[in-house]
Amino acid sequence: MAACTKQTTGGGEEAAAEEGPRVREPGAAPFGNFPQYSRFHPPEQRLHLLPPELLRQLFPPESPETRPILGLDVGCNSGELSVALYKHFLFLRDGETCSDASREFRLLCCDIDPVLVERAEKGCPFPDALTFITLDFMNQRTRKVLLSSFLSQFGRSIFDIGFCMSVTMWIHLNHGDQGLWEFLAHLCSLCRYLLVEPQPWKCYRAAARRLRKLGLHNFDHFHSLAIRGDMANQIVQILTQDHGMELVCCFGNTSWDRSLLLFKAKQTIETHLIPESLIEEGKER
Ligand SMILES: C[S@@+](CC[C@H](N)C(=O)[O-])C[C@H]1O[C@@H](n2cnc3c(N)ncnc32)[C@H](O)[C@@H]1O
């Protein structure tokens, strides 16, 4: 797939936060759990960069072992982007349903914030195809239980594709360099393909500035982060050099300067979850 280089700049998480106070104090969104996120970062701005036929190309219909295609959306917020991705990849228009949609593509969407997850569940027009769960993805025990329980319904142990859209910064700020590294390791162990939209470094500065303005404590890890600067490139390096992924394509940049990067596991991953112990070993190397 060809790399594209369209580049524009624009607002960031700061837009959601600065507009946010009318709805909820932004300091109350320490995980990026903004209640009106999709109003400020509409799904369409990402979707227009993603070819609708992407899933059909990656998982051709003639390979029945990949039906339904299983997707994981980490940090789904209130589900607007999850639903929009679902419709986009199944070529569904507004109000349109498809009788065998859930046989074609199933999406497990998780978020740390139970209020957002409840809202996502209530608003989802495809309840048979999209499952929303409250999960702190950094909690190893619950992650294992909840993800395995979903996958086992399909006799699988990994997802075909993972979506990690505007989440990496929040993991990084709340869990530090090690946390980001582990987060990416877990995603790679769980997904054959991974679509990542990293936040650029300027968003980190804006998030920290916002907390200072509110007179709140800075993120514990902000000043000690060694992984910094060109965050898209840093994430490419971690995924390709440490976690056995290859960069397939950059679909370009959103109007708020975030790249959409598609990765693929270099080796055909075993259909069993990589034991957490191996991830621990990898970390020490
Ligand atoms: C900025 S929003 C992005 C929402 C959506 N992915 C999008 O791009 O439109 C980041 C989301 O990640 C969630 N999040 C942050 N840390 C998380 C964690 N440890 N586990 C699960 N979700 C998390 C937040 O609650 C928030 O809804």
Side-chain angles (χ1 to χ4, degrees):
M1 238 173 269
C4 41
T5 54
K6 200 160 97 189
Q7 178 103 28
T8 46
T9 53
E13 233 77 333
E14 53 274 32
E18 280 163 12
E19 292 290 332
R22 279 182 234 139
V23 187
R24 197 210 264 184
E25 193 65 52
F31 307 108
N33 44 338
F34 302 108
Q36 304 287 339
Y37 191 72
S38 64
R39 269 178 48 198
F40 305 100
H41 296 311
E44 297 69 35
Q45 295 196 12
R46 286 89 165 258
L47 296 184
H48 86 267
L49 295 171
L50 296 172
E53 64 281 2
L54 179 67
L55 291 195
R56 291 198 184 157
Q57 282 175 355
L58 299 180
F59 312 107
E62 53 276 14
S63 39
E65 70 279 8
T66 53
R67 289 298 181 278
I69 298 164
L70 297 185
L72 171 68
D73 183 14
V74 177
C76 63
N77 199 264
S78 43
E80 285 83 357
L81 181 61
S82 325
V83 170
L85 283 167
Y86 192 81
K87 285 166 61 179
H88 186 68
F89 290 133
L90 287 188
F91 301 86
L92 297 174
R93 282 187 291 264
D94 277 343
E96 198 180 3
T97 52
C98 169
S99 55
D100 64 351
S102 63
R103 267 183 278 143
E104 184 65 15
F105 182 26
R106 293 286 298 261
L107 200 47
L108 178 67
C109 314
C110 64
D111 201 280
I112 196 171
D113 184 328
V115 176
L116 293 174
V117 170
E118 196 186 334
R119 192 174 307 159
E121 258 178 334
K122 283 192 180 139
C124 179
F126 308 105
D128 294 340
L130 278 77
T131 305
F132 291 93
I133 56 169
T134 301
L135 168 67
D136 174 358
F137 197 80
M138 298 304 281
N139 182 319
Q140 176 175 318
R141 200 176 50 81
T142 18
R143 183 181 64 233
K144 247 180 154 171
V145 171
L146 296 178
L147 300 190
S148 307
S149 132
F150 177 84
L151 286 164
S152 64
Q153 295 172 48
F154 304 93
R156 310 257 199 101
S157 48
I158 56 168
F159 291 88
D160 294 305
I161 185 160
F163 300 96
C164 176
M165 313 290 277
S166 289
V167 180
T168 48
M169 175 181 82
W170 298 105
I171 299 294
H172 202 185
L173 284 172
N174 286 303
H175 298 273
D177 288 337
Q178 186 65 31
L180 177 66
W181 196 95
E182 284 175 26
F183 173 73
L184 295 171
H186 294 309
L187 278 177
C188 295
S189 73
L190 284 163
C191 305
R192 294 168 64 196
Y193 285 87
L194 194 54
L195 186 70
V196 188
E197 182 191 58
Q199 287 104 327
W201 186 253
K202 67 179 178 190
C203 293
Y204 287 62
R205 285 201 302 263
R209 195 167 54 238
R210 213 159 51 230
L211 280 202
R212 279 198 304 278
K213 264 199 212 162
L214 288 164
L216 298 172
H217 281 295
N218 211 338
F219 292 98
D220 289 348
H221 297 278
F222 180 62
H223 290 295
S224 62
L225 298 180
I227 302 172
R228 53 173 59 221
D230 181 346
M231 287 312 297
N233 188 46
Q234 294 277 19
I235 284 171
V236 170
Q237 296 308 314
I238 297 173
L239 289 174
T240 56
Q241 291 176 11
D242 300 344
H243 299 331
M245 302 295 272
E246 64 184 300
L247 179 61
V248 179
C249 175
C250 171
F251 291 112
N253 289 55
T254 63
S255 56
W256 58 91
D257 197 19
R258 293 183 197 175
S259 2
L260 283 172
L261 306 165
L262 180 69
F263 297 87
K264 176 184 194 271
K266 273 187 201 147
Q267 292 169 350
T268 313
I269 309 172
E270 268 301 310
T271 51
H272 298 287
L273 289 176
I274 293 178
E276 303 280 346
S277 58
L278 287 185
I279 293 170
E280 290 296 312
E281 280 169 26
K283 230 164 36 187
E284 282 152 22
R285 262 183 246 135

